Amino acid sequence: MHAAEDVLQETFIRAFRSIDRFECPGVHGDERFIRWLCGIAKNALADLLRKMPREVGTPAVDGAASGPSKTQALRREERFERFQEA
């Protein structure tokens, strides 16, 4: 799976496109930029997870997509934690 690379690339693209709007009030120094960049990465990851196909065998309510199962939510949370550690 190339999800981590996809999120990283999308993060840098978004950061490059919005660098003129860079601000993180109340935070100073290098931490300011890192927090801003992490916020972009968090949003890029959330967008990627929304676009990922649902797992086979997950029931839908009335033919419409229901929210993720507890297992899926846990897996997503674990992936996000691994991403943050990276």
Side-chain angles (χ1 to χ4, degrees):
M1 181 183 295
H2 301 286
E5 292 89 355
D6 293 344
V7 171
L8 186 61
Q9 181 177 9
E10 184 64 23
T11 298
F12 288 128
I13 290 169
R14 290 179 186 190
F16 178 77
R17 289 180 178 162
S18 63
I19 193 73
D20 60 326
R21 295 177 297 195
F22 164 64
E23 69 177 69
C24 194
V27 182
H28 303 287
D30 293 340
E31 184 180 355
R32 184 175 160 209
F33 182 75
I34 292 169
R35 282 194 182 189
W36 178 74
L37 200 57
C38 285
I40 294 172
K42 181 179 175 182
N43 291 333
L45 179 59
D47 291 346
L48 175 71
L49 290 174
R50 276 193 292 275
K51 292 177 186 177
M52 289 179 77
R54 295 175 54 87
E55 290 187 20
V56 176
T58 302
V61 178
D62 296 327
S66 61
S69 70
K70 289 182 182 180
T71 303
Q72 288 174 318
L74 183 59
R75 286 181 189 155
R76 287 179 183 177
E77 187 175 314
E78 289 172 349
R79 280 185 285 214
F80 183 70
E81 288 172 2
R82 285 195 308 264
F83 174 76
Q84 283 183 314
E85 291 173 8

